[in-house]
Amino acid sequence: MEEFNTQNPILEINNLSISFFTRLGEIPAVMNFSCVLEPGKALGLVGESGCGKSTVALGVMQDLGVNGSIVGGSIKFKGRELNNMTQSELSKLRGSEIAMIYQEPMASLNPAMRISKQLMEVPITHANTSEKEAWALALEVVKDVRLPDPERILNSYPHQLSGGQQQRIVIAMALMSKPALLILDEPTTALDVTVEAGIVDLVKGLGKKYGTSMLFISHNLGLILDTCDDICVMYSGEAVETGSIYDVFDRMRHPYTQALFRSIPLPGADKNQRPLVAIPGNFPLPHERPCGCNFGPRCNYFESGVCDEDEIDMQEMSDNHRHASRCKKIDAIDWRAVSTTKADYKPLLAGDKVIEVEDLTKYYEISANALFSGKEKSVVKANESLSFYARESETLAIVGESGCGKSTLAKVLMGLETATSGKASLNGQSIADTAIADRSVEIISSIQMVFQNPFDTLNPSMTVGRQIIRALEVFGFGELESERQNRMLELLDLVKLPREFAIRKPRQLSGGQKQRVGIARAFAGNAQIVIADEPVSALDVSVQAAVTHLLMELQRKQGTTMLFISHDLSIVRYIADRVMVMYLGHVVEMGATDQVFAPPYHPYTEALLSAVPIADTSVERHHIVLQGDIPSAMNPPSGCPFQTRCQHKHLVEGNLCETQMPTTKILANSHQLKCHLSDEYLAAMRPVIKLADAS
């Protein structure tokens, strides 16, 4: 085999075209796509769902299935043409020199095999190593990915590990053969923001250690800024802008790139004065692509006769040959114009308290061995002494990692669970111990929920209109079917869906459109409180902006109280009036949004803020990576619930953190912290996030 010249690109894709062949004919998924990945560098591939990012990755792996085929162009790895390789040659490359990490770790792990056996398979298969050598290498790589107690991990089965630990094992497996190219396809989407920060830090460090080049696929521009050297923006199967991170982030030269940045909540975004701007229109289906520029129908700068010509090629910038854009109007657009839309919405004045919660707890009692009906019982402490309130027209964000008790609280408020103890009241009427089956129609219609995944909340066999009318029937709206029919059409107007969508089935709608139907259903009974449980996390960034804007618009019109559950602190900073931070069932910090996002912080809030990827090169972040996983609610630590991961614990005298639950401190303007750190230390904390040019 020829020795590779390290001055040449690791991966060179030139005019790649990939199509899928179905009963309807050829569907072009990727067209004339080109990019270059240099040795030891990381290239970010970004764009909305369906733009072709993952198809490019599968093309590199030569794994397009029976329907997919490369119909044009070239893919060179270390100067060798992958398209011409035999299956035997490709098998030697995959898993050894080219490795891929998928979004869902369990898709790559065998649930019936111990971790050690799955890791050892890689060097045994690809390098013919002995079992002893393979074990030693597996142990080394598990230590490299910073997993605690490596020998115990190696002897575990996948189900005995957390999601973050499973993803680290998948990374370890990919690195076992020290590949020259590592492809990461949305590797952190399903993980908490703190776990994501640890994975990103890990991948960057291991990339440097092993000299691995990375193709990083993500829709998260902040994550791309944190991990990559170069970026390629894709739209509808084409590369529309390529360049270094700083070329594209600071000197973007394609309207789609600009539109993506306008739709994400960067520092400085304000829901009343500088709102997010959703990209108008919809993503084109492959057989509906327009002539000329694919982005033309959604572009603010579209010009007939210029942008709709037969073909538009990538054009290098006159002052930078590494920065290129697929746009005819590069020189005609004023790229320095203010990139945010100004507005003048009047801030909503919070009214009376609508919901009040006092010392609410929720415990689950489970058998020690539920499968075999063991007699011993264990208790899962999901919520511990929660106290808070929310007022009319106010948005209270509830944030924290998976397992902190956010969704359990939502279930109690909805009546899907009843509280173990404590109080919760709606307009003075107790609801904590009343299950949904025993609640009045008035209370049920007053508290509604918008769920995380719009795909799972609609009946696939019922039309959109019928599903909304069904909600109106449950809420007792109207005496005649015609009244409910008219109200259903008004609700479609309210969520900005065409009335003709009433006769469509859910499969005929996009993700964002399905979420709008879910919102229409939630507002069908004039809800006083809407619990939005991660309502935009499953959506593309441009759709996120539209759905977020819709929720705020409905709140302005109807004075709704919103409990916004999220782990995305960027969207929380934009949408929330107050923030409640939860950890292991406890409220550890609560206050106005500006208070929670500025010092003094609870150490957990500080770590959460540090972990948020921000797509802005002018922002400086104090970097904190939490060690370890959130403890089990079945066996919580003694003392402060956060003490096992706290980066400031050593500053508290004695063993207070390990032995005593901290009391809640009330700081300025009702800002609450549950922490043993001294007031003087808290007051001297430095900001986690600041603009580079700020004093």
Side-chain angles (χ1 to χ4, degrees):
M1 188 174 173
E2 293 180 25
E3 189 172 330
F4 174 62
N5 184 344
T6 55
Q7 301 302 311
N8 295 330
I10 283 284
L11 182 69
E12 194 171 6
I13 302 175
N14 190 34
N15 293 328
L16 176 68
S17 293
I18 299 174
S19 291
F20 290 90
F21 294 87
T22 70
R23 287 176 299 174
L24 300 175
E26 181 180 352
I27 298 175
V30 173
M31 301 162 298
N32 298 320
F33 177 84
S34 300
C35 72
V36 174
L37 176 56
E38 304 291 344
K41 298 285 187 180
L43 170 66
L45 209 51
V46 302
E48 294 171 279
S49 299
C51 72
K53 306 186 299 292
S54 296
T55 304
V56 168
L58 293 173
V60 174
M61 295 295 287
Q62 299 286 303
D63 185 23
L64 292 165
V66 292
N67 294 331
S69 179
I70 294 171
V71 294
S74 162
I75 307 175
K76 289 183 178 178
F77 171 70
K78 290 187 171 181
R80 299 172 64 204
E81 179 58 64
L82 292 177
N83 294 345
N84 298 334
M85 286 189 182
T86 64
Q87 283 302 315
S88 174
E89 290 173 314
L90 288 170
S91 295
K92 290 178 182 177
L93 277 182
R94 294 189 196 116
S96 57
E97 291 201 71
I98 304 175
M100 187 163 177
I101 297 170
Y102 296 90
Q103 180 173 342
E104 175 49 59
M106 280 307 291
S108 305
L109 296 173
N110 186 330
M113 287 173 63
R114 293 187 191 275
I115 297 299
S116 57
K117 194 169 180 67
Q118 298 189 55
L119 290 175
M120 290 164 63
E121 269 188 341
V122 179
I124 289 173
T125 301
H126 290 287
N128 292 320
T129 60
S130 67
E131 285 203 9
K132 184 177 180 181
E133 290 173 320
W135 168 270
L137 184 58
L139 187 64
E140 178 191 342
V141 176
V142 168
K143 288 177 181 175
D144 278 344
V145 296
R146 303 176 198 160
L147 281 168
D149 197 356
E151 293 199 11
R152 178 187 65 80
I153 294 286
L154 285 174
N155 285 313
S156 300
Y157 288 96
H159 72 269
Q160 295 172 305
L161 308 181
S162 69
Q165 289 174 333
Q166 288 172 358
Q167 193 63 293
R168 285 170 187 259
I169 289 298
V170 172
I171 292 171
M173 194 182 298
L175 293 169
M176 283 292 283
S177 58
K178 299 180 174 57
L181 172 62
L182 182 61
I183 302 171
L184 303 101
D185 190 357
E186 301 274 13
T188 61
T189 300
L191 304 177
D192 282 311
V193 66
T194 49
V195 180
E196 176 182 80
I199 296 290
V200 167
D201 188 62
L202 170 71
V203 167
K204 286 163 66 178
L206 293 175
K208 289 179 181 175
K209 175 176 178 178
Y210 292 112
T212 304
S213 303
M214 290 185 283
L215 182 62
F216 201 111
I217 297 170
S218 180
H219 67 272
N220 187 327
L221 287 160
L223 204 57
I224 293 296
L225 175 60
D226 281 352
T227 53
C228 296
D229 305 289
D230 300 301
I231 183 172
C232 174
V233 183
M234 288 190 73
Y235 182 80
S236 191
E238 296 179 323
V240 295
E241 185 164 9
T242 59
S244 74
I245 285 291
Y246 290 95
D247 285 339
V248 175
F249 275 61
D250 295 341
R251 299 181 66 247
M252 60 191 73
R253 289 297 182 268
H254 195 279
Y256 177 60
T257 311
Q258 186 184 62
L260 279 179
F261 276 86
R262 286 179 175 176
S263 65
I264 57 178
L266 300 173
D270 182 289
K271 64 181 179 182
N272 294 316
Q273 303 298 320
R274 299 176 69 181
L276 305 182
V277 182
I279 303 175
N282 294 312
F283 197 81
L285 295 173
H287 60 279
E288 295 176 349
R289 290 184 176 120
C291 291
C293 177
N294 283 339
F295 187 60
R298 306 174 73 188
C299 181
N300 293 332
Y301 309 108
F302 177 81
E303 184 180 343
S304 181
V306 175
C307 301
D308 52 3
E309 293 181 358
D310 289 341
E311 190 173 333
I312 298 176
D313 296 322
M314 291 291 280
Q315 177 182 337
E316 292 179 355
M317 301 299 111
S318 57
D319 59 343
N320 184 352
H321 70 91
R322 293 189 67 243
H323 185 192
S325 170
R326 195 183 296 271
C327 180
K328 284 276 190 178
K329 301 190 69 178
I330 292 174
D331 298 326
I333 296 172
D334 182 4
W335 299 102
R336 295 170 297 177
V338 177
S339 62
T340 54
T341 297
K342 292 187 178 180
D344 192 21
Y345 295 114
K346 291 183 179 178
L348 289 174
L349 296 176
D352 297 331
K353 293 178 183 177
V354 176
I355 192 159
E356 293 185 79
V357 174
E358 184 180 344
D359 290 329
L360 185 138
T361 63
K362 176 59 184 175
Y363 293 170
Y364 293 97
E365 196 174 76
I366 58 172
S367 60
N369 193 336
L371 187 62
F372 300 105
S373 303
K375 293 182 179 179
E376 292 184 33
K377 301 286 185 181
S378 297
V379 173
V380 176
K381 298 179 178 180
N383 290 153
E384 285 273 27
S385 302
L386 303 183
S387 296
F388 66 92
Y389 63 85
R391 296 173 293 189
E392 183 183 352
S393 300
E394 181 179 55
T395 299
L396 172 67
I398 304 172
V399 302
E401 293 168 287
S402 300
C404 73
K406 307 186 300 291
S407 294
T408 299
L409 170 61
K411 288 176 183 176
V412 171
L413 296 179
M414 288 290 295
L416 301 173
E417 301 280 359
T418 54
T420 304
S421 64
K423 300 175 183 176
S425 61
L426 172 67
N427 296 323
Q429 187 172 352
S430 176
I431 58 172
D433 53 0
T434 309
I436 193 164
D438 301 319
R439 291 186 177 184
S440 67
V441 171
E442 183 185 358
I443 288 180
I444 291 172
S445 63
S446 293
I447 307 180
Q448 284 294 297
M449 195 159 181
V450 177
F451 295 90
Q452 176 174 355
N453 196 336
F455 312 100
D456 295 337
T457 56
L458 299 176
N459 186 329
S461 64
M462 290 173 64
T463 64
V464 165
R466 184 64 211 149
Q467 298 195 52
I468 297 174
I469 288 173
R470 177 69 186 130
L472 292 168
E473 289 172 350
V474 170
F475 299 148
F477 180 90
E479 295 182 5
L480 301 173
E481 181 68 18
S482 59
E483 292 179 87
R484 290 189 282 270
Q485 180 76 18
N486 288 335
R487 178 58 179 158
M488 177 269 292
L489 294 173
E490 289 172 1
L491 285 164
L492 288 178
D493 294 340
L494 197 66
V495 297
K496 295 182 170 55
L497 284 176
R499 289 190 170 197
E500 53 267 29
F501 274 37
I503 59 172
R504 291 194 182 185
K505 297 281 183 70
R507 69 175 184 273
Q508 297 171 292
L509 274 59
S510 69
Q513 289 166 344
K514 288 176 186 172
Q515 193 62 292
R516 286 171 184 266
V517 175
I519 292 169
R521 207 166 48 177
F523 279 86
N526 294 319
Q528 276 189 286
I529 297 174
V530 169
I531 302 172
D533 189 0
E534 301 274 11
V536 296
S537 63
L539 306 174
D540 281 314
V541 289
S542 57
V543 184
Q544 282 182 14
V547 171
T548 303
H549 182 75
L550 172 63
L551 285 169
M552 292 187 299
E553 194 173 327
L554 292 172
Q555 185 180 45
R556 290 187 185 103
K557 286 179 180 176
Q558 304 198 12
T560 314
T561 301
M562 189 153 57
L563 302 185
F564 192 87
I565 298 173
S566 182
H567 69 271
D568 183 344
L569 274 84
S570 295
I571 200 77
V572 163
R573 184 174 197 163
Y574 172 69
I575 200 173
D577 302 302
R578 290 191 302 125
V579 180
M580 182 169 87
V581 183
M582 290 184 67
Y583 185 81
L584 206 60
H586 293 263
V587 176
V588 295
E589 182 166 4
M590 183 159 53
T593 304
D594 289 343
Q595 291 173 325
V596 172
F597 277 77
Y601 308 109
H602 186 280
Y604 179 57
T605 309
E606 182 185 40
L608 281 180
L609 292 173
S610 165
V612 178
I614 300 173
D616 190 335
T617 58
S618 68
V619 169
E620 291 180 358
R621 275 188 299 151
H622 174 40
H623 194 52
I624 300 166
V625 175
L626 282 182
Q627 301 301 314
D629 295 309
I630 189 168
S632 168
M634 204 153 41
N635 185 26
S638 59
C640 172
F642 187 58
Q643 55 98 352
T644 58
R645 301 167 77 195
C646 182
Q647 63 272 23
H648 299 288
K649 185 173 74 171
H650 64 284
L651 297 168
V652 178
E653 292 183 5
N655 58 351
L656 266 181
C657 295
E658 292 93 336
T659 57
Q660 291 185 28
M661 176 68 70
T663 56
T664 300
K665 299 181 180 185
I666 307 297
L667 306 178
N669 299 316
S670 302
H671 185 192
Q672 300 178 22
L673 286 181
K674 186 180 276 192
C675 186
H676 285 303
L677 288 170
S678 69
D679 292 351
E680 293 76 20
Y681 183 82
L682 289 169
M685 292 178 90
R686 60 174 173 161
V688 171
I689 301 169
K690 64 177 182 177
L691 295 175
D693 58 353
S695 58

